[in-house]
């Protein structure tokens, strides 16, 4: 079964809009876990408009499942992650002003940098994952930089799902086979929802974890958090 890590950045965005600690990210993380989520993800960006750097130690204290921190490994981010040691760190090449992550690493061009950062994280006992487009060369590059896992950027799949799902999923099927052959673990995330998730997981082998935020929190507005988490868990089976 694929594990569900709930990305709670959107909850942080609502909290930040009023200045006080409401909704409380720590309580929301505890609730997601009690509803069955197998992980909690945050993506603190340098402008801290969603999750803040201070949320990392607060969540590290209470997350009992798997704590995944995503971000571009600029020095302040790396320092934060090395200090608080989440279970997993997902490296994302997003620019500071990016609306959201919109591309994977070029693992060939950034080979030396990624190799160095991944070695530091692994030395600290943190599992590594790198955000990747479904391109075979990039998967081969991921093997060379020593990462434990890759996270497929599923935005383009989600975008084309309604129109041409078979074509949209094909590169992921191929690249998942290659990653499995190379003994790299597979995660996936971005724009996944209750509509497009079951087909993706049925077609793409060995997906260990999906991290889902925007659609899940939006669905929770209509169905409530408990029911929504349970629906996503069902979709992961
Ligand atoms: N994975 C990465 C690297 C991300 O940056 C995000 C968004 O913060 C997600 C997964 C989750 O995407 P979504 O919010 O569309 O579910």
């Amino acid at each position: 079964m694929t594990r569900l890590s709930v990305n709670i950045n959107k909850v942080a965005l609502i909290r930040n809009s009023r200045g006080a600690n409401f909704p409380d990210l720590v309580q929301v993380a505890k609730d997601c876990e009690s509803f069955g989520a197998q992980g909690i993800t945050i993506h603190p960006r340098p402008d801290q408009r969603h999750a803040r750097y201070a949320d990392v130690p607060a969540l590290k204290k209470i997350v009992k499942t798997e704590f995944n921190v995503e971000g571009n490994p600029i020095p302040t981010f790396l320092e934060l992650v090395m200090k608080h040691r989440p279970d997993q760190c997902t490296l994302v090449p997003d620019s500071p002003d990016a609306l959201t992550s919109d591309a994977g690493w070029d693992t060939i061009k950034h080979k030396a940098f990624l190799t160095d950062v991944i070695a530091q994280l692994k030395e600290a006992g943190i599992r590594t994952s790198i955000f990747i487009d479904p391109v075979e060369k990039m998967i081969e590059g991921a093997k060379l930089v020593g990462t434990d896992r890759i996270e497929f950027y599923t935005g383009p799949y989600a975008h084309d799902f309604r129109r041409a799902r078979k074509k949209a999923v094909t590169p992921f099927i191929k690249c998942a086979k290659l990653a499995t052959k190379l003994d790299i673990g597979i995660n996936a995330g971005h724009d996944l929802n209750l509509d497009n998730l079951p087909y993706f997981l049925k077609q793409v082998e060995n997906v260990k974890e999906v991290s889902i935020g925007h659609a899940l929190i939006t669905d929770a507005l209509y169905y409530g958090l408990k029911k929504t988490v349970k629906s996503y868990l069902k979709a992961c089976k």
Side-chain angles (χ1 to χ4, degrees):
M1 188 184 146
T2 303
R3 295 164 73 88
L4 171 68
S5 185
V6 178
N7 180 321
I8 55 175
N9 258 32
K10 282 282 138 64
V11 179
L13 184 71
I14 298 172
R15 174 198 63 189
N16 298 353
S17 69
R18 283 293 175 96
N21 189 30
F22 179 69
D24 178 355
L25 220 55
V26 161
Q27 189 57 49
V28 172
K30 284 182 182 171
D31 289 340
C32 287
E33 287 188 316
S34 78
F35 301 149
Q38 294 118 336
I40 299 294
T41 293
I42 57 170
H43 189 144
R45 291 194 164 82
D47 63 7
Q48 304 194 56
R49 66 185 189 273
H50 305 130
R52 298 183 180 131
Y53 282 15
D55 292 320
V56 172
L59 289 165
K60 164 75 189 186
K61 257 193 224 150
I62 61 95
V63 172
K64 292 194 169 63
T65 53
E66 180 209 84
F67 185 32
N68 175 43
V69 179
E70 304 173 344
N72 191 326
I74 55 173
T76 46
F77 175 87
L78 259 188
E79 211 174 284
L80 178 81
V81 170
M82 295 295 280
K83 185 168 173 200
H84 300 292
R85 303 189 183 205
D87 302 293
Q88 177 174 270
C89 178
T90 302
L91 306 177
V92 186
D94 56 346
S95 61
D97 56 348
L99 190 61
T100 183
S101 318
D102 56 4
W105 286 98
D106 182 333
T107 54
I108 313 288
K109 189 170 163 195
H110 299 290
K111 183 179 173 197
F113 174 70
L114 286 171
T115 303
D116 177 44
V117 171
I118 286 167
Q120 286 182 53
L121 293 167
K122 285 171 80 166
E123 176 74 25
I126 303 165
R127 188 207 297 141
T128 59
S129 181
I130 59 176
F131 203 48
I132 279 266
D133 297 310
V135 175
E136 284 167 300
K137 249 184 139 173
M138 295 302 129
I139 310 292
E140 284 159 6
K143 182 65 186 172
L144 296 177
V145 300
T147 190
D148 299 305
R149 293 193 188 181
I150 51 171
E151 181 184 323
F152 280 135
Y153 171 44
T154 50
Y157 160 75
H159 182 264
D160 293 340
F161 174 73
R162 285 286 174 100
R163 199 172 38 85
R165 66 187 65 184
K166 181 70 194 156
K167 190 167 170 228
V169 84
T170 298
F172 295 91
I173 296 173
K174 272 193 199 156
C175 286
K177 281 194 197 312
L178 177 60
T180 301
K181 195 171 129 200
L182 296 175
D183 198 25
I184 307 173
I186 302 167
N187 297 340
H190 223 286
D191 298 312
L192 293 174
N193 59 37
L194 286 174
D195 198 22
N196 62 35
L197 180 61
Y199 181 77
F200 187 84
L201 295 181
K202 201 166 167 204
Q203 297 292 320
V204 182
E205 66 181 38
N206 293 336
V207 179
K208 289 186 187 306
E209 178 183 300
V210 284
S211 82
I212 306 184
H214 186 81
L216 190 153
I217 300 302
T218 304
D219 287 340
L221 294 175
Y222 288 93
Y223 307 116
L225 191 56
K226 183 175 183 177
K227 212 169 160 194
T228 301
V229 169
K230 289 191 183 299
S231 298
Y232 277 82
L233 285 170
K234 204 168 159 201
C236 284
K237 275 192 181 147

